[in-house]
Amino acid sequence: MLPLLHPALPLLLGATLTFRALRRVLCRLPLPVHVRTDPLRTWRWHNLLVSFAHSIVSGIWALLCLWQTPEMLVEIETAWSLSGYLLVCFSAGYFIHDTVDIVVSRQARASWEYLVHHIMAMGAFFSGIFWSSFVGGGVLTLLVEVSNIFLTIRMMMKINNAQDLLLYRVNKYVNLVMYFLFRLAPQAYLTNFFLQYAGQRTLGTFLLGILLMLDIMILIYFSRLLRSDFCPGRVPSRQHKDKFLTE
């Protein structure tokens, strides 16, 4: 069915509007002292609150999908479940919302890495939504949201200048473990699977290209994370102030 007539469109619209409404609600919460005095930090704080909510829901949902439909771990192209399909629609709605939020808030230049990531993620998710292929791959990809829970906690604490707290020191080690288990490992597994499509003119080849670009981004982010948390003396002070994605 043509995307313009696809029944998934109301799901995407509903998910996008849900995150928009959630942002409005979260914006009413009180801001930390170090955040409220800086407009950029204020916008980033609200943006991260929405991201945090998405990570908790999507990460747990992805684990439940794999528990309910374990064949998704093997039959990445053909395995399908209603729960997995709705999860992919839900997360695609988040990426649409966040992309619009970045552009409307005039943060596109500062947050261009987010935009590149979101465009690639939406391109991959739309294959599962509109062509009902690789839904299992979409669910596996969303295991990264388990890692993002701890990564977002880390970023929010840095924005709030709370790096000296015990919670931050504990979280940085938990974050490192989760990064390996739920970001690097699933990404390597999916890349190995999609390499079979190399040289073909199929949807799998398109997704392989996206995965390889994401692989590069993830490794760059990982190197930044290690430098920032475990070799802080090698990170320029300007990066500590302005980079919230992984620094």
Side-chain angles (χ1 to χ4, degrees), residues 151-169:
L151 184 62
T152 305
I153 291 173
R154 171 188 176 275
M155 290 190 288
M156 294 179 73
M157 294 188 72
K158 286 182 75 72
I159 293 175
N160 196 30
N161 292 340
Q163 298 96 311
D164 294 331
L165 295 181
L166 176 61
L167 176 60
Y168 183 91
R169 295 196 293 271

Side-chain angles (χ1 to χ4, degrees), residues 8-215:
L9 287 178
L11 294 175
L12 290 172
L13 179 61
T16 303
L17 294 178
T18 296
F19 283 107
R20 179 61 181 172
L22 176 62
R23 189 184 191 284
R24 286 182 176 273
V25 172
L26 294 176
C27 283
R28 297 177 180 274
L29 297 177
L31 292 169
V33 175
H34 292 290
V35 173
R36 71 171 70 110
T37 57
D38 186 333
L40 175 59
R41 287 175 181 257
T42 298
W43 173 81
R44 192 73 188 100
W45 182 268
H46 292 147
N47 183 271
L48 285 173
L49 283 176
V50 179
S51 175
F52 187 58
H54 169 255
S55 294
I56 292 175
V57 175
S58 294
I60 295 174
W61 195 345
L63 290 171
L64 289 174
C65 284
L66 293 175
W67 178 69
Q68 294 171 342
T69 314
E71 53 266 31
M72 285 184 173
L73 291 167
V74 180
E75 300 170 9
I76 293 175
E77 180 177 0
T78 58
W80 191 94
S81 72
L82 178 59
S83 180
Y85 185 81
L86 293 176
L87 169 60
V88 173
C89 290
F90 176 78
S91 289
Y94 164 74
F95 288 122
I96 294 171
H97 155 77
D98 201 46
T99 299
V100 173
D101 184 40
I102 290 172
V103 173
V104 171
S105 301
R106 299 181 180 179
Q107 298 296 328
R109 184 175 180 180
S111 304
W112 67 269
E113 291 176 338
Y114 282 96
L115 292 178
V116 172
H117 171 271
H118 289 1
I119 290 170
M120 290 191 292
M122 286 187 287
F125 287 158
F126 288 163
S127 67
I129 293 170
F130 295 122
W131 286 276
S132 296
S133 298
F134 299 104
V135 172
V139 172
L140 284 171
T141 301
L142 287 168
L143 287 175
V144 71
E145 297 301 335
V146 178
S147 169
N148 279 347
I149 294 172
F150 302 93
L151 184 62
T152 305
I153 291 173
R154 171 188 176 275
M155 290 190 288
M156 294 179 73
M157 294 188 72
K158 286 182 75 72
I159 293 175
N160 196 30
N161 292 340
Q163 298 96 311
D164 294 331
L165 295 181
L166 176 61
L167 176 60
Y168 183 91
R169 295 196 293 271
V170 172
N171 182 74
K172 76 176 184 179
Y173 290 104
V174 176
N175 180 43
L176 186 64
V177 173
M178 293 299 173
Y179 204 100
F180 273 107
L181 292 179
F182 292 101
R183 189 179 293 262
L184 294 179
Q187 193 74 13
Y189 179 73
L190 284 169
T191 302
N192 181 68
F193 173 84
F194 277 97
L195 283 174
Q196 65 180 297
Y197 296 102
Q200 302 179 19
R201 294 183 178 180
T202 63
L203 181 59
T205 308
F206 168 72
L207 295 175
L208 172 62
I210 290 178
L211 271 173
L212 292 176
M213 288 187 286
L214 287 173
D215 287 346

